[in-house]
Amino acid sequence: MEIWNNPSCSKCAAARASLDEARVPYRLRAYLTEPPSAEEMTEVLRRLDARAWDICRTGEPAATALGMADWPRDDATEPRWVAAMVAHPELIQRPILLLDDGGALVGRTPEALDEAVRRSDR
């Protein structure tokens, strides 16, 4: 499993602790310094079965500066959302867990972390 990790994020720390406790192996990706490409971001959205605005942190200063709260949320503008998250990776919700089974989860809740452990190939 790969975790898109921000070391200063408490939710990322909780995800790492849960996986460590369950002895689930994972790789960390420092997505703030190693941002995804637009293609990777699109693939992650597919794996999450989510739209770009579903995992965009619109309260971040970069989102405010871009006026993202007023952006349309439709098929035509989704590439714009993806491009903004690639250019400003701090806008990506965290942590994202890319599971070895091909799925993905946003690991912000205990339930999501339990599911990640359950689906792991320990």
Side-chain angles (χ1 to χ4, degrees), residues 1-99:
M1 161 180 338
E2 179 175 279
I3 302 174
W4 287 13
N5 181 64
N6 175 345
S8 65
C9 169
S10 63
K11 297 291 186 182
C12 292
R16 293 189 313 270
S18 290
L19 296 173
D20 288 345
E21 182 179 328
R23 298 179 189 254
V24 174
Y26 57 86
R27 300 169 302 285
L28 293 177
R29 177 171 179 170
Y31 72 96
L32 294 175
T33 57
E34 187 186 335
S37 67
E39 294 79 17
E40 284 178 295
M41 194 74 241
T42 300
E43 173 62 12
V44 166
L45 289 166
R46 184 196 64 75
R47 290 172 71 172
L48 287 167
D49 193 24
R51 302 302 296 263
W53 46 84
D54 295 333
I55 65 163
C56 185
R57 298 172 57 91
T58 56
E60 292 289 324
T64 302
L66 292 168
M68 292 178 81
D70 297 325
W71 288 9
R73 296 175 181 212
D74 57 29
D75 290 344
T77 58
E78 190 159 25
R80 183 179 180 197
W81 285 82
V82 168
M85 288 190 288
V86 168
H88 305 278
E90 68 273 18
L91 298 177
I92 301 169
Q93 189 59 268
R94 59 188 184 252
I96 292 180
L97 310 175
L98 301 178
L99 307 176

Side-chain angles (χ1 to χ4, degrees), residues 98-114:
L98 301 178
L99 307 176
D100 291 338
D101 69 5
L105 299 165
V106 177
R108 294 188 62 78
T109 65
E111 295 80 17
L113 296 173
D114 288 346

